[in-house]
Amino acid sequence: MVLSGKLIKFPYWLCWQVRRLLGKLHGTVFYVEWAHDYHIFENILPHLNTPYRIAAKNRALARELGSRGIKTMVWPVFPETLIMARHALHRFPINNIHKIGMMHGPYYFKKMVRAERYIAFDLYLFTSTAVLNQAREKGITNGVVGGYPRIDAFRHAETIRQSHLLGMEAGLPNGKKTLLFTATWDRSGQSAVHKWIDRLRTLKARYNIVVSLHPMMSKSIRNKLRSMKGIHVAAQHQLYAYMLLSDILISDTSSIIAEFCALDKPVITFSVGQANRLTPDIQAMIRDVSIQISSLEELDGAVEWFEREPGLKKGQREKWNRLIYQDTKISHGKMAAEIINGFIRRKGAVRK
């Protein structure tokens, strides 16, 4: 257990027990460690049969979510049932709480951590049968197929409406291809942001440029981006709308690649070499679904290749969609909610 979890274990247990005796536990709680986590949960919420609360790790995050109309509590909270898309159980360091874990990104971009970190949950939702089978091979015995609820947003009327509004604000369509540049954290050892951040301006004459950066991206990179006129920056809650708006994704090793594949749209990736966290599965997936380039000079050629062959990589995208999501045409939020509803119904009273 993380040291902070050990330090708070007894006071947290005592507060939880007192609140239980007073009938003041918080029921079902979705815990949000990063703003991105809320987007994993939001498509589950309409299908739940039980009241729920959203809890943020700190006041700053609660204010950020609140500014978007999301009513949010601030940790510490004391749930009967806890649902999270992180391995952050050190914030809830007692056995009395029923705990459900979810993936915060597609598995093929998130190397599985130690099995015991999954088994610490009562139930863990994996995105597909293929991913669940790999979890079982690692000794994870508490898993079920729960889908990837975030991709439901692509079909939501609000996402589509937001995409149209963003397009009008940006003056799109205007006869140019719209490229969505994404990059994982620049200090991860597998980011390609340095290959294009200083040269985006040179592309504006030929393309519409949208950029989405990893939440932990260095301040210097963000400052460079803010200084560029005519470049559209996608906030986290706008990302899916911008993905609908974009023609081609330009990325590195970001898990947004897998989410873009669910749209069956072309992907171009920068090769980043042999990074420590790049497993053979991740490398195979990226090579399979994208045209890989080494430098920005190769970008135009890759775009033209997709224009000449509209079906290029379509079969590969379909293959990996089956492995990662199993079925992109169903409601993953409803699937996950049915599992959560059943879990809560079976568990009934909280542990004493």
Side-chain angles (χ1 to χ4, degrees):
M1 182 184 289
V2 176
L3 179 59
S4 60
K6 294 179 179 179
L7 293 174
I8 69 168
K9 185 171 183 177
F10 178 73
Y12 186 93
W13 174 86
L14 183 60
C15 289
W16 191 95
Q17 292 290 0
V18 170
R19 295 186 73 96
R20 179 184 67 80
L21 291 170
L22 296 175
K24 293 186 177 181
L25 290 177
H26 293 131
T28 298
V29 172
F30 288 82
Y31 173 70
V32 180
E33 183 92 357
W34 294 88
H36 166 83
D37 298 355
Y38 178 77
H39 302 297
I40 301 297
F41 303 142
E42 64 180 334
N43 300 311
I44 298 173
L45 306 180
H47 305 289
L48 289 178
N49 295 335
T50 184
Y52 63 85
R53 302 176 194 231
I54 308 296
K57 72 173 177 180
N58 56 37
R59 294 187 183 280
L61 180 54
R63 284 194 298 270
E64 179 184 345
L65 294 172
S67 69
R68 289 158 40 200
I70 302 164
K71 187 177 180 180
T72 310
M73 302 174 66
V74 179
W75 183 90
V77 292
F78 302 91
E80 298 175 25
T81 300
L82 170 70
I83 303 155
M84 69 167 65
R86 300 282 167 176
H87 296 280
L89 292 181
H90 59 282
R91 294 184 180 273
F92 305 87
I94 60 173
N95 294 327
N96 307 75
I97 300 168
H98 299 302
K99 303 177 180 76
I100 300 174
M102 297 180 61
M103 305 181 75
H104 70 268
Y107 162 66
Y108 285 90
F109 288 83
K110 307 294 178 186
K111 185 177 180 180
M112 283 190 184
V113 295
R114 299 188 309 276
E116 54 264 31
R117 299 193 69 185
Y118 294 92
I119 295 171
F121 292 88
D122 296 288
L123 184 68
Y124 203 93
L125 277 57
F126 293 95
T127 61
S128 70
T129 300
V131 178
L132 176 60
N133 288 339
Q134 293 193 28
R136 286 173 174 167
E137 289 174 3
K138 294 179 179 292
I140 299 167
T141 56
N142 59 333
V144 295
V145 176
Y148 188 61
R150 191 176 183 197
I151 63 170
D152 284 9
F154 287 134
R155 298 193 298 272
H156 284 183
E158 177 56 29
T159 310
I160 295 167
R161 185 188 73 85
Q162 188 182 33
S163 181
H164 288 158
L165 289 175
L166 290 170
M168 287 191 293
E169 290 173 8
L172 306 177
N174 57 6
K176 296 189 290 188
K177 291 284 186 186
T178 298
L179 307 185
L180 171 59
F181 280 76
T182 69
T184 194
W185 183 33
D186 56 321
R187 296 178 183 173
S188 66
Q190 54 192 56
S191 177
V193 66
H194 59 283
K195 294 190 176 185
W196 51 263
I197 189 65
D198 292 318
R199 300 174 60 190
L200 280 182
R201 293 184 182 90
T202 66
L203 303 175
K204 288 193 299 180
R206 304 191 298 284
Y207 307 107
N208 306 307
I209 305 297
V210 179
V211 178
S212 171
L213 299 177
H214 189 280
M216 294 172 61
M217 191 66 74
S218 296
K219 188 175 181 179
S220 60
I221 299 292
R222 293 189 175 278
N223 288 341
K224 283 182 182 179
L225 185 59
R226 291 191 190 101
S227 70
M228 299 179 189
K229 294 182 179 180
I231 305 296
H232 309 288
V233 181
Q236 276 292 311
H237 66 281
Q238 298 173 324
L239 181 56
Y240 268 38
Y242 269 119
M243 289 169 78
L244 288 178
L245 196 61
S246 300
D247 297 299
I248 302 176
L249 176 71
I250 317 297
S251 193
D252 42 35
T253 62
S254 170
S255 60
I256 292 174
I257 295 170
E259 296 173 329
F260 208 76
C261 280
L263 288 174
D264 194 23
K265 289 185 178 183
V267 179
I268 297 169
T269 56
F270 285 94
S271 174
V272 297
Q274 296 294 323
N276 289 335
R277 295 176 61 201
L278 279 181
T279 67
D281 283 342
I282 297 173
Q283 292 172 313
M285 190 273 187
I286 294 172
R287 285 194 303 267
D288 226 13
V289 301
S290 71
I291 294 176
Q292 285 209 298
I293 60 178
S294 298
S295 66
L296 202 64
E297 283 75 19
E298 300 173 69
L299 179 64
D300 287 339
V303 172
E304 290 169 4
W305 193 356
F306 276 122
E307 289 179 332
R308 289 195 308 270
E309 300 184 38
L312 183 65
K313 299 285 184 177
K314 182 178 179 64
Q316 290 91 328
R317 292 193 294 268
E318 291 175 350
K319 169 190 140 184
W320 283 95
N321 280 339
R322 287 192 298 272
L323 288 170
I324 295 171
Y325 307 117
Q326 202 153 306
D327 186 349
T328 57
K329 295 180 174 60
I330 64 171
S331 170
H332 287 231
K334 185 177 181 181
M335 179 198 306
E338 288 174 351
I339 294 168
I340 293 168
N341 287 333
F343 176 89
I344 293 172
R345 187 170 57 250
R346 288 191 305 274
K347 292 297 181 181
V350 299
R351 299 180 178 115
K352 302 296 189 278

